Amino acid sequence: MTLEAAAVLSESGPISKRLPGFEVRGEQLEMATAVDACLERRGRLIVEAGTGVGKSFAYLVPAIRQVVEKGQRVIISTHTIALQEQLVEKDVPLLRAATSAEFSTVLVKGRGNYVSLRRLELALARGAKLFPDESHDQQLEQLDAWARSTDDGSTSSLAIQPERRIWDLVQSDAGNCMGRKCPRYDACHYQKARRRMEGGQILVTNHALFFSDLAMRANGGRGFLPAYGHVILDEAHSIEEVAAEHFGGQISESAVAHLLRSLWNPATHRGALSDIRLKDGGDAAVRSVLASVEDCRKGANAFFSSLRRWRANQPGEGEVRIREPGIVEDSLSPSLSQLATLLNLTRERAAEESDGWEVNALAQQAEAFAQATRTLLAQSIPGCAFWLELSAARPSRKQDGFVTLAAAAIEVGPLLQKHLLSQEVSVVMTSGTLATTRGDLTAAVRTLGAEGAATLVLGSPFDYARQARCIIETDLPDPREAMDWEPMAQRILRHIEATDGGAFVLCTSFRDLNELRDALEEPLDERGYPALWQGAGVSAGTLLKRFREDERSVLFGVASFWQGVDVRGRGLRNVIVTRLPFEPPDAPLTQARHDLIEARGGNPFRDDSLPRAIVRFRQGFGRLIRSGTDTGQFVILDSRVVQKRYGRAFLDALPDGLRIESIDD
């Protein structure tokens, strides 16, 4: 059977025969043809494919052809777990069965997702000495029961969510991996997964792992993924954020504190150092390590306290950019490096090899933290913005939240060009929203470093004139001014009642969301609408599950609900946008980008802020209509779309034919 896209996806093709209700879509065929040509010539292609195009089939069919006919390995990377699962569990099996093609597909996960059977046995044997109460023993026993029955040994099949310190003791980790010396090597879930990956032909992974691998190779490391001939990056609108993070770095107060508690917790008199069996002379080494742990605690307290004092002298709230190196004295990295050295000496005196590997992993972590502290404080990562952030204060303690020093790449385009796009591999980047206006991918090409790449913009096959309408509230005050939240809350309530719930209320900050919660929680409860609030201690996945369970639910969300969320049918029939989604101008990375644009003679608002906001705005609209039978309304509560000259750009970015209605109170 031919694997040409035009044949596989045609009206008389194998997909149509196997999949009831399959519709031939001209946009899908056009995309598949472009992807096929790109993979054939080892080219570069950027595709915006509107909702309903069927882009996963449009790139999977050409990918399968490269695997079967050319023996080439293809990497497919996505941002969300939901799409990875759809590809591996639904789309690829269907295409394999329909085409009768022989190839292997592997879902590739990071090592920390897998349980180490050896480490689990060790933790079970020493649980009473490691933890002060029975609940931890119960969690270990639950993990043991799961480990005996699981097929893949990864957290995706884990029903319970153990505490972080429990999972740290049992997860697979490079620093304490004994390799072929491990007595459980043959049964090891991670090693099995790695062997499957090495033999896999289509590897499905996530952006975090893909760009972590790319950054490791860029820094001279070996990398994790095997060699590949083609890479397809779906949900490409997320590439910039993920890549910027992985080409930067961070060190957090909470991570350092966790490492030190793992070694020795003075409150419980337990930790990794309390149960190491040592050779003669080892007791002195452990005493030295214990003293070093205490030195690290003092150094960490001094370091992070000095960062808090520095932050207190800076204007504004939230994250603050660090514009010069050496803002405080480095009282942390010397003690961490000394701790790493002493841990390595202790490792040599371990009576059992397994204990030596446990200590080795802790030593590596201590040295990695020391290096990150030096690097971030000295600002020695080129092309990065540096900043300090404070987590929310912990109400149970009379102190500020944890401090984090962080850095991210200001521009990912040059990095992608150097380390990916200039290599001898095909690169396809695709998403439902990349263009700023209809057909214009200029900003995406520039951001992704893909100058010279072929581009393609395909509209959605949905009938938006029939399926949706857009409502603009024109008389609300400019949201940049001091807000009176009562009128906004009343408008939101009115629109929720108009569709009897089934609504997403999309905010641009948790501050706005919390203001609306204060104003609307009681009225919604009185009217019987189940209200779901992001940031209330419930995961986004759980919120979405609860939303789907009741057609009258109303979900209030921020960034993660503007994109990558798929609710089909009557469940979501109303999307309410409270503000145009401009990034905060004082965000450190935004400041750094704008400084760079101004230095080059550009206009930060025109060249950066506006294009980014339009793309996010289009993503918000894209939550509403997910199938040919969906209907609903898209409500804009930001009057700038009609009062400001740039507002027209947002409306022009909406689909052709969409009915737009302007109303006032």
Side-chain angles (χ1 to χ4, degrees):
M1 174 183 292
T2 179
L3 290 174
E4 292 184 1
V8 175
L9 299 171
S10 69
E11 188 173 353
S12 59
I15 305 300
S16 180
K17 294 176 180 177
R18 179 171 286 270
L19 189 61
F22 177 77
E23 297 178 4
V24 176
R25 303 167 191 170
E27 297 93 346
Q28 186 181 62
L29 285 171
E30 188 176 354
M31 178 177 172
T33 300
V35 173
D36 208 0
C38 177
L39 301 188
E40 277 293 305
R41 69 176 187 272
R42 293 289 178 106
R44 283 94 185 86
L45 173 66
I46 298 181
V47 183
E48 176 179 286
T51 308
V53 165
K55 59 183 169 61
S56 60
F57 278 15
Y59 61 69
L60 281 172
V61 172
I64 292 169
R65 185 182 181 194
Q66 288 296 317
V67 166
V68 174
E69 296 183 0
K70 305 296 176 64
Q72 297 287 322
R73 177 181 284 126
V74 181
I75 301 282
I76 298 175
S77 178
T78 80
H79 185 56
T80 60
I81 294 174
L83 183 51
Q84 293 163 45
E85 292 175 344
Q86 175 191 316
L87 293 173
V88 172
E89 298 173 8
K90 180 182 175 183
D91 294 349
V92 171
L94 190 150
L95 289 171
R96 180 188 290 112
T99 61
S100 301
E102 294 293 332
F103 60 93
S104 60
T105 305
V106 178
L107 178 59
V108 181
K109 307 174 186 179
R111 183 168 196 153
N113 288 282
Y114 291 92
V115 67
S116 165
L117 298 176
R118 178 187 65 81
R119 298 190 73 213
L120 175 58
E121 290 172 355
L122 189 64
L124 284 165
R126 302 179 180 180
K129 296 181 180 180
L130 292 173
F131 301 112
D133 57 64
E134 293 182 359
S135 67
H136 298 100
D137 289 337
Q138 292 172 355
Q139 290 182 57
L140 285 172
E141 289 171 1
Q142 289 173 321
L143 284 169
D144 182 47
W146 162 75
R148 294 175 185 276
S149 61
T150 179
D151 292 326
D152 73 340
S154 78
T155 51
S156 63
S157 63
L158 183 56
I160 63 168
Q161 293 299 320
E163 293 180 28
R164 175 185 172 185
R165 54 181 169 174
I166 300 290
W167 184 251
D168 280 353
L169 285 172
V170 303
Q171 69 176 343
S172 181
D173 183 272
N176 55 44
C177 178
M178 298 175 66
R180 294 185 179 277
K181 294 182 179 180
C182 177
R184 302 304 305 274
Y185 178 81
D186 290 338
C188 177
H189 293 293
Y190 169 73
Q191 296 295 346
K192 289 179 180 178
R194 185 163 185 84
R195 288 192 290 272
R196 288 195 297 270
M197 179 188 73
E198 294 289 351
Q201 294 169 297
I202 293 180
L203 305 184
V204 180
T205 188
N206 59 48
H207 290 345
L209 192 149
F210 180 80
F211 286 106
S212 175
D213 177 84
L214 200 67
M216 288 172 63
R217 296 174 190 272
N219 292 321
R222 182 180 176 185
F224 172 77
L225 295 170
Y228 49 86
H230 314 276
V231 57
I232 298 169
L233 300 167
D234 201 345
E235 298 178 312
H237 56 270
S238 303
I239 288 175
E240 182 188 21
E241 180 182 355
V242 179
E245 177 184 336
H246 282 88
F247 280 98
Q250 72 169 31
I251 181 72
S252 72
E253 184 178 17
S254 59
V256 173
H258 179 72
L259 169 65
L260 299 179
R261 282 197 306 271
S262 298
L263 283 162
W264 179 251
N265 188 337
T268 62
H269 297 283
R270 288 176 170 85
L273 298 174
S274 62
D275 199 39
I276 297 175
R277 299 176 180 85
L278 301 164
K279 301 174 184 175
D280 292 342
D283 291 343
V286 169
R287 286 195 294 271
S288 296
V289 173
L290 288 171
S292 183
V293 169
E294 188 57 33
D295 288 342
C296 281
R297 283 200 176 92
K298 294 176 181 177
N301 288 336
F303 180 68
F304 292 111
S305 294
S306 62
L307 287 173
R308 282 193 185 86
R309 289 192 295 272
W310 180 87
R311 176 65 185 90
N313 293 321
Q314 308 305 311
E317 300 178 356
E319 300 173 349
V320 61
R321 188 177 173 191
I322 304 172
R323 295 178 178 269
E324 58 185 19
I327 58 169
V328 299
E329 181 183 351
D330 183 3
S331 58
L332 179 58
S333 70
S335 57
L336 283 170
S337 289
Q338 176 67 11
L339 174 61
T341 299
L342 292 172
L343 284 169
N344 283 322
L345 291 174
T346 303
R347 175 192 175 186
E348 296 173 2
R349 291 173 171 80
E352 295 185 10
E353 190 174 15
S354 59
D355 283 328
W357 284 104
E358 293 294 316
V359 174
N360 178 69
L362 294 165
Q364 288 184 0
Q365 192 173 359
E367 186 52 48
F369 284 171
Q371 181 59 40
T373 302
R374 289 190 290 267
T375 297
L376 292 166
L377 202 56
Q379 299 196 350
S380 57
I381 311 175
C384 279
F386 299 81
W387 68 89
L388 181 149
E389 59 187 65
L390 286 173
S391 64
R394 290 164 288 172
S396 60
R397 300 185 184 183
K398 295 181 179 180
Q399 68 178 83
D400 294 331
F402 285 124
V403 176
T404 298
L405 271 181
I410 300 171
E411 291 184 298
V412 303
L415 295 168
L416 296 179
Q417 174 58 230
K418 179 179 180 180
H419 301 296
L420 177 61
L421 295 165
S422 64
Q423 306 303 307
E424 290 296 318
V425 296
S426 306
V427 181
V428 176
M429 304 180 187
T430 184
S431 171
T433 45
L434 288 172
T436 50
T437 57
R438 297 178 194 132
D440 187 1
L441 289 173
T442 304
V445 168
R446 181 178 62 247
T447 297
L448 299 173
E451 287 78 5
T455 61
L456 180 63
V457 176
L458 300 167
S460 171
F462 297 152
D463 183 0
Y464 287 104
R466 176 183 60 82
Q467 294 180 252
R469 65 175 181 154
C470 175
I471 302 171
I472 305 171
E473 295 270 10
T474 61
D475 65 335
L476 286 169
D478 190 322
R480 294 172 298 179
E481 300 170 0
M483 284 287 289
D484 178 3
W485 286 97
E486 189 58 31
M488 170 79 76
Q490 289 304 314
R491 305 294 176 89
I492 291 173
L493 190 59
R494 184 185 306 167
H495 287 295
I496 289 171
E497 290 179 319
T499 59
D500 195 30
F504 273 8
V505 181
L506 299 179
C507 303
T508 58
S509 70
F510 277 110
R511 181 171 56 187
D512 287 5
L513 186 149
N514 290 330
E515 292 281 0
L516 290 175
R517 182 169 189 171
D518 290 341
L520 285 170
E521 191 165 30
E522 186 174 332
L524 288 171
D525 183 60
E526 290 173 351
R527 289 162 174 79
Y529 293 112
L532 305 166
W533 308 88
Q534 191 173 4
V538 180
S539 71
T542 300
L543 286 176
L544 193 59
K545 180 176 181 292
R546 292 176 181 173
F547 179 82
R548 288 185 171 123
E549 289 171 349
D550 192 322
E551 286 190 355
R552 301 185 76 239
S553 293
V554 181
L555 190 152
F556 291 75
V558 291
S560 60
F561 283 98
W562 284 78
Q563 58 179 312
V565 177
D566 190 2
V567 181
R568 302 191 179 202
R570 180 172 165 76
L572 178 58
R573 52 197 178 273
N574 190 356
V575 172
I576 302 170
V577 170
T578 58
R579 292 182 193 245
L580 296 179
F582 287 103
E583 292 181 343
D586 57 351
L589 202 51
T590 303
Q591 286 182 347
R593 283 200 309 265
H594 290 184
D595 288 350
L596 193 59
I597 291 168
E598 286 183 340
R600 293 171 176 171
N603 182 300
F605 180 80
R606 179 196 65 209
D607 300 339
D608 188 73
S609 296
L610 184 58
R612 290 176 185 277
I614 291 172
V615 170
R616 178 58 60 87
F617 177 77
R618 294 183 64 221
Q619 289 168 348
F621 175 82
R623 299 314 97 217
L624 182 63
I625 304 300
R626 306 300 299 174
S627 75
T629 58
D630 286 1
T631 59
Q633 65 181 36
F634 182 64
V635 181
I636 306 171
L637 300 181
D638 192 328
S639 59
R640 286 178 292 177
V641 294
V642 292
Q643 294 176 355
K644 298 296 181 181
R645 181 179 299 177
Y646 60 76
R648 190 72 236 174
F650 287 90
L651 299 182
D652 287 344
L654 293 172
D656 286 329
L658 180 69
R659 291 174 293 155
I660 298 179
E661 306 168 18
S662 296
I663 62 173
D664 57 37
D665 197 39

